[in-house]
Amino acid sequence: MAELKISGAELTVEFSRREQTWLHRSSLTVPLASVRQVTRVDRPLSVAHGTRNGLVVSGFAKIGFWGVMVGPRQLVAAYRGRPGLHILLDRTPDGEKVDELVLSLDDADQLAEHLGQRMGKS
């Protein structure tokens, strides 16, 4: 499962080996200033929608990119029975081509609160 870390002015998501296979990356770093909204979700699997490029194990896991043909483009690493975060981003021209993050995270409550506090300081 992915791990989300906040340091300085950046948010970094580090992916598990399984996720790296489908996402073709070991991590993703975005500026905290690009985070528009953070929502804690009980069922992150239901948030991913649209045409996909990735893995679906029906009802159990989604890993990859959703919204490939028509946005928003979502980077997804979500699992059944795990809480998560739905993070909306401002896409910068020179940044990652991702509009949203949909992640299962064991510490979703604490991370949502921490991100909310950091966003309030901007």
Side-chain angles (χ1 to χ4, degrees), residues 63-121:
I63 304 169
F65 292 92
W66 267 249
V68 174
M69 301 298 278
V70 178
R73 185 171 166 96
Q74 299 174 308
L75 184 150
V76 179
Y79 304 91
R80 180 178 79 176
R82 305 283 184 151
L85 295 181
H86 182 199
I87 302 171
L88 304 182
L89 303 171
D90 279 330
R91 188 193 298 190
T92 58
D94 58 343
E96 297 289 339
K97 292 182 169 67
V98 174
D99 300 305
E100 301 178 9
L101 303 174
V102 180
L103 306 168
S104 286
L105 301 159
D106 285 331
D107 51 353
D109 291 323
Q110 295 87 355
L111 289 166
E113 183 177 330
H114 186 64
L115 274 169
Q117 291 171 352
R118 295 292 299 264
M119 289 171 59
K121 292 181 180 180

Side-chain angles (χ1 to χ4, degrees), residues 31-43:
L32 278 174
S34 71
V35 177
R36 290 188 358 236
Q37 181 180 344
V38 177
T39 306
R40 195 255 192 222
V41 291
D42 288 324
R43 297 177 9 180

Side-chain angles (χ1 to χ4, degrees), residues 25-73:
R25 62 176 65 225
S26 60
S27 66
L28 171 77
T29 300
V30 296
L32 278 174
S34 71
V35 177
R36 290 188 358 236
Q37 181 180 344
V38 177
T39 306
R40 195 255 192 222
V41 291
D42 288 324
R43 297 177 9 180
L45 283 176
S46 66
V47 177
H49 57 275
T51 307
R52 73 174 186 274
N53 180 7
L55 170 72
V56 174
V57 179
S58 188
F60 291 98
K62 293 181 179 179
I63 304 169
F65 292 92
W66 267 249
V68 174
M69 301 298 278
V70 178
R73 185 171 166 96

